[in-house]
Every structure is written in structure tokens, then in C-alpha cells.
Amino acid sequence: MDSTFIIEKSVVILVVFGVTMLMAMYSTWAERKVAAYLQDRVGPNRAGWGGLFQPLADGLKLFAKEEFAPNTPNQFLFRVGPGIAMATALMTSAVIPWGDRLHLFGRDILLQATDINVGILYIFGIVSVGVYGIMIGGWASNNKFSLIGAIRAASQMVSYEVAMGLSIVALLMMTGTLSLKEISEQQAGMNWNVFYQPISFLIFLICAFAETNRTPFDLAECETELIGGYHTEYSSMRMGFYLFAEYANMFISSTILAVLFFGGYNYPGMSWVAENWGVNLANIIGIGALFVKLCGFIFFYMWVRWTIPRFRYDQLMHLGWRILIPLSIINIMITGVVILRGEIFAYLGW
Amino acid sequence: MSIQEISLSGRKKLVSNKEMTFLEKMYLIAILKGLGITIKHFFRKKATINYPEQVREFSPVYRGRHMLKRDEQGRENCTACGLCALSCPAEAITMKAAERKADEKHLYREEKYASIYEINMLRCIFCGLCEEACPKDAIYLTISKELVPANYDREDFIFGKDKLVMPLEMAIKNTQLKNSN
């Protein structure tokens, strides 16, 4: 392992980290702006042009606020909860291919922190750990509302992870790989997976809403019933970390949706651009294409939030266990039959 | 026509408990419809305005911030009789009278004037009874067309004569308008 490799990877990791933070920051701004526009309002417009410095002002405010901790026997857990939520939210971005590769300084630079061959499994694993941040925070708060919120979040995320994993299985049967890089490469041109696996996409989308605790599945922090859910007792930047982790999760899940189903960094005419204008430019446009797609998903998240009211808890469980899981199993079976149709036809002698 | 079918408003809808069809049970179509409605609002004209920069049009009888009027020669009308303070149901007005000196005839119309005139805008309910009580045509709520702005300190809501008396330029303009008519 030479030193240039380490430098290259550190730069990629730092850029990915910075971009994730920036996107999470500006998602809060976008959320307020989109909410305002959908409700015929103007939204934040005092801090900077169009309120663009609003996230900075919010962050400054959160840092300056008094840090209040409840009288709880679990001081350590209370402190560590937001950290776990934030760390897991940022870790998932490591395996996402932001673009193909850039040719700089005589080297091929892979636009991905690491291309491990179990990329999707890694993401699922990290996302499951993310529950602990919420669970520990809610438990350590020593507050009934926090505890109920945390329990809701845990059972909701565990239930929907099953449906999410099963919905991906059908896709993986088609692609034959778990590496996000290879999945992106297979979708070159307009060969996007969403055209082959629309049901898988729909289930994954619904589960992504539930996994990120977004409306209509935000039962973990529903203000009307639980004050703030698991972060009721949190104040200052600790609460900021929870909210920030939520937005980072939203950014990452939008990216995964774009990579798995909407062709990742591919765009129509990419090979033509690579031939005529050079590989670097083609891939920079590719990064732009990925960002357009994922920003579309982030907008969709917000759009849905201000359209659909929250589910009741039994409805949520009903949808997860009795509709989405059977549906994804049927989808797996149909996909299997379609993949093996040649063998089946040969067996039947048609 | 039976009594069940009569609808005076024309908006009567019979409630039915019919089973939902499979498509309706999926809710996806209803959700898409809802998304369509919200996105229409995204591009609609905004209902709110950028308040201090933009101001809505006031009705001619809108009761806003008080103004102590001047007459055509720019003299203050108020004679500090105290009837406004007496009529005020919120006890918001207080004043102190003073005698007009010989060299102040161009400043005050009557021989007695208010040296201090204060309205507590936190107490005021903008009912307009002071305006009705005033025998000298001095206090008006409908002229200024201004709202009382928000502030951080309670003291800053006690408006003195510096904020209440009609600006001289406005009085000059009014006189010019009157003369030209």
C-alpha cells in the first residue's frame, strides 16, 4: 500500500464526509422552504439570500443553547445516544459509488471510499445499528414519552428492515452482485432497475420512509402524542445531532434509492460524452446526474411529508408485516420464474 | 320529493358505508391524488408577504398606531384636557399639561398643551374610544396606517410625543392639498 493510495482515499473520504454534512445541513433549509411553499408561504428568507445561511444560524443557536440533562441514572448512555445516531448515519456513505472514476495525476481515482463486495449488506448492517442510537437515547432519558418513542422506533425499524431486505432480494437475483459499484455499472444507459423491478422499488421506497422515521411513519417522534418522542429530553446540540442524523439518513437513503433503482451516476448518452469530451468530464456530469436524482428523492421525501398524515401504529404494523413482506416474497417468486423461464420451458417441453 | 333528498345548500352528500375496492384499499391512487394537490400549491401565489418591506393595504377605517394631529398651520391640536385618558378602557393613556408661553403660539393651538403625552401600546386595545372622546380633533387611530412594531423591552412600548405627534412634513403636505383644492 503506497502513500499516494492513502492520500487519495483520505481525500475521497473527506470530500464524501463534507458533502454528506453539507447536504444534511441544507436539507433542513430545503425542508423548511419546501414546507413553506407547499403551504403557500415564503419560508425562511432573512439569513442570507433566500435564507441560505439559515442552517448556519440554526447550528449557531443550537451550540449556544444551554445543555440540559435530565436527572437520569444513565448519564453515560444519555450522552452516547446522539453520537451513535450521528456516527451510523455518516458511516453508510462509505460504500456508495458517487461516480465511476476520474483520471487525474496519471492515476485512476475511484469515486468511492471503498468498493467492498457486500456493499448492500454493509449498509443494512449499519442502518440496523442506527436503531441503538434512538433506543439508548430514549431509554436513558428517564421519561415515559421518550421510552414509548424509542420502543416504537425500534419495533418499526426492525419490522421494516425485513420487508426492505426481502424487496432487495428480488433485485439482487437479477443483478447477481451485492457490490453497489457493479450494480451501478450494470445500469449503464437507460437500463435502470426501476423499469425491471417496479414493485421492488415501491416496497423499498416505503420501507426507506419507515427506516428514516419520516412522515407518514414518524411515529417515533410524533409531536401530537409523544411531545418529541425519543428526543423529548434532549436540548442544545445533542438534539441537533439527532435531527442532523435524521437528515443525513434521508440523504443516504435517497442516494441508495438512486443507485439501486435509478441508475446511480449513469445518464443517457454517457458513453458518447466519454468518447467525445473525455472520461473526466463524463464522470463529473455523472456525479451531477446522481445528485440530481438524489435531490429529487429528497424533495419527494419532503413532498410526501406535507401531504400524507401519520399512520396509526397498528396500521403501520399491518402494512409492514401483512402487506409488504408477502408482496416482496411474491415478487421474489415471480422474479425467479422469469429468470429461469428458459429452463422451465425446456422442462415442460415447450 | 322525500325529505331525505332535499338539499337546501346543494352540498348535501349521502354517507355510505360501502366496502372499498381493491384499488381503493391500496391507497396509492389516493396518495398520488394528494401529492398532485400539494404540488399545485407549490407553484401557487404565496398567501404571505415579506412584512416590513411589503405592507398590505389598510382599510380606510383601520385603527392602527395613534397620531396626534396638527392643524393647517402646523400647531398641535391637543389641549391636554384628559378626556381620552378618561375614556380609555385599558388605562393606556397618561399626560401632563403645561401652559403655553407667548413665544410658543406657533407650536400649540390652545393656551394649554400636553408637555408629556404617553400611550402604553401594550395596554392599548385599539378600540378608538379616545378618538371618539377627543373634543379638539387631536387624536386619531386611522391616519397613521401603521402597526406598532415588535420590540424587546417593555419600556419601548410606551410611546411618547416623539412618536405620536404628526410629522411636520405631513402637516405641510395636508395644508398644501387643502389649499390646492
Side-chain angles (χ1 to χ4, degrees):
Chain A
M1 193 183 289
D2 54 335
S3 58
T4 44
F5 177 78
I6 294 172
I7 293 168
E8 177 197 316
K9 283 299 172 198
S10 333
V11 169
V12 171
I13 289 169
L14 278 179
V15 169
V16 168
F17 174 75
V19 167
T20 311
M21 294 295 253
L22 205 71
M23 287 298 286
M25 262 171 78
Y26 274 93
S27 293
T28 63
W29 169 81
E31 171 103 86
R32 297 165 75 166
K33 234 17 191 180
V34 169
Y37 271 70
L38 289 176
Q39 294 169 352
D40 297 341
R41 294 184 284 119
V42 184
N45 63 352
R46 296 287 133 163
W49 183 83
L52 271 179
F53 292 131
Q54 191 70 40
L56 292 178
D58 284 343
L60 208 67
K61 184 202 82 171
L62 283 172
F63 272 116
K65 282 232 159 179
E66 183 197 353
E67 230 180 302
F68 178 81
N71 187 14
T72 161
N74 298 312
Q75 285 294 343
F76 174 72
L77 292 182
F78 184 79
R79 266 146 221 234
V80 99
I84 293 175
M86 193 72 192
T88 51
L90 291 173
M91 270 161 79
T92 34
S93 59
V95 293
I96 288 165
W98 301 98
D100 189 16
R101 59 191 71 235
L102 288 179
H103 197 74
L104 288 176
F105 314 116
R107 295 175 57 89
D108 266 346
I109 295 171
L110 207 61
L111 292 171
Q112 186 178 12
T114 171
D115 178 24
I116 52 177
N117 57 6
V118 288
I120 296 177
L121 280 185
Y122 168 83
I123 287 173
F124 271 67
I126 298 294
V127 167
S128 323
V129 176
V131 184
Y132 284 100
I134 293 172
M135 270 287 275
I136 288 174
W139 169 257
S141 292
N142 201 14
N143 176 322
K144 286 171 204 156
F145 294 113
S146 302
L147 187 61
I148 293 174
I151 289 170
R152 278 185 180 189
S155 54
Q156 172 186 329
M157 285 168 99
V158 168
S159 319
Y160 276 77
E161 244 156 46
V162 182
M164 198 178 203
L166 285 175
S167 75
I168 282 296
V169 169
L171 180 77
L172 298 181
M173 282 161 70
M174 231 181 63
T175 57
T177 175
L178 286 166
S179 157
L180 288 170
K181 176 88 182 149
E182 280 174 46
I183 291 175
S184 298
E185 279 164 3
Q186 282 173 5
Q187 301 179 72
M190 281 301 281
N191 219 0
W192 295 355
N193 282 333
V194 66
F195 302 127
Y196 301 103
Q197 290 286 357
I199 295 180
S200 177
F201 166 69
L202 192 66
I203 299 170
F204 192 87
L205 183 71
I206 295 170
C207 293
F209 272 89
E211 285 287 309
T212 47
N213 281 328
R214 295 281 304 179
T215 336
F217 304 107
D218 64 338
L219 291 121
E221 45 190 298
C222 45
E223 303 85 10
T224 38
E225 299 162 36
L226 298 180
I227 310 174
Y230 56 87
H231 55 65
T232 301
E233 291 286 352
Y234 281 90
S235 56
S236 172
M237 202 56 202
R238 282 204 194 114
M239 191 186 83
F241 259 42
Y242 270 130
L243 302 182
F244 213 68
E246 195 187 316
Y247 282 99
N249 271 329
M250 195 168 88
F251 167 64
I252 296 296
S253 68
S254 299
T255 317
I256 293 167
L257 274 163
V259 169
L260 285 181
F261 292 98
F262 277 76
Y265 50 78
N266 291 297
Y267 53 95
M270 191 174 183
S271 51
W272 184 88
V273 175
E275 272 168 36
N276 291 299
W277 296 348
V279 181
N280 282 349
L281 194 65
N283 282 310
I284 287 167
I285 297 175
I287 298 171
L290 178 62
F291 268 86
V292 168
K293 288 169 194 171
L294 71 89
C295 287
F297 276 114
I298 290 177
F299 176 76
F300 185 68
Y301 269 106
M302 294 167 182
W303 182 12
V304 167
R305 174 169 178 184
W306 300 106
T307 302
I308 311 174
R310 185 180 302 129
F311 276 104
R312 216 168 53 213
Y313 201 69
D314 61 311
Q315 291 172 332
L316 172 93
M317 283 297 156
H318 181 268
L319 178 68
W321 286 104
R322 290 178 60 191
I323 295 176
L324 291 184
I325 291 177
L327 195 64
S328 48
I329 290 173
I330 292 168
N331 190 34
I332 291 170
M333 282 163 63
I334 293 172
T335 311
V337 168
V338 171
I339 289 173
L340 291 176
R341 63 189 179 279
E343 281 87 341
I344 292 170
F345 290 158
Y347 179 76
L348 292 172
W350 288 351
Chain B
M1 192 183 243
S2 73
I3 191 79
Q4 272 85 19
E5 288 161 34
I6 295 171
S7 170
L8 290 178
S9 64
R11 291 192 301 262
K12 185 172 179 176
K13 260 187 188 172
L14 279 182
V15 179
S16 80
N17 274 338
K18 78 169 175 62
E19 279 274 302
M20 285 196 285
T21 60
F22 177 70
L23 273 181
E24 282 172 339
K25 267 188 195 159
M26 287 217 309
Y27 291 116
L28 284 178
I29 294 165
I31 287 172
L32 285 180
K33 269 187 201 163
L35 289 173
I37 290 171
T38 41
I39 203 70
K40 254 187 254 161
H41 280 265
F42 193 88
F43 300 107
R44 200 175 273 186
K45 193 174 165 288
K46 304 298 162 225
T48 51
I49 53 161
N50 290 318
Y51 177 63
E53 292 95 60
Q54 280 169 290
V55 184
R56 279 191 207 285
E57 209 179 305
F58 286 105
S59 129
V61 292
Y62 185 87
R63 294 199 293 266
R65 202 170 125 175
H66 313 68
M67 185 174 273
L68 290 174
K69 257 179 86 175
R70 294 176 190 273
D71 66 359
E72 293 101 73
Q73 297 167 38
R75 302 175 301 188
E76 287 175 25
N77 280 359
C78 181
T79 182
C81 62
L83 281 178
C84 46
L86 200 67
S87 69
C88 183
E91 296 267 348
I93 304 177
T94 181
M95 71 189 72
K96 198 174 169 194
E99 197 183 338
R100 182 182 70 183
K101 301 275 166 11
D103 56 343
E104 287 175 339
K105 277 190 178 169
H106 61 291
L107 290 176
Y108 310 107
R109 198 174 64 175
E110 311 285 336
E111 283 166 8
K112 190 172 131 224
Y113 72 96
S115 62
I116 297 172
Y117 192 104
E118 284 180 347
I119 300 179
N120 187 338
M121 291 299 176
L122 288 177
R123 301 200 64 133
C124 177
I125 56 171
F126 299 93
C127 61
L129 285 185
C130 46
E131 181 181 323
E132 273 176 43
C134 186
K136 296 289 178 189
D137 245 7
I139 187 161
Y140 273 94
L141 284 83
T142 46
I143 297 178
S144 70
K145 300 277 180 277
E146 260 179 72
L147 301 175
V148 177
N151 220 325
Y152 293 104
D153 288 315
R154 281 172 175 274
E155 280 72 34
D156 293 336
F157 283 100
I158 298 169
F159 281 22
K161 277 182 83 174
D162 52 328
K163 288 176 182 162
L164 292 173
V165 176
M166 174 190 264
L168 256 180
E169 303 87 64
M170 196 170 168
I172 293 167
K173 210 179 274 175
N174 282 349
T175 315
Q176 282 168 350
L177 263 177
K178 205 169 214 176
N179 291 342
S180 66
N181 284 348

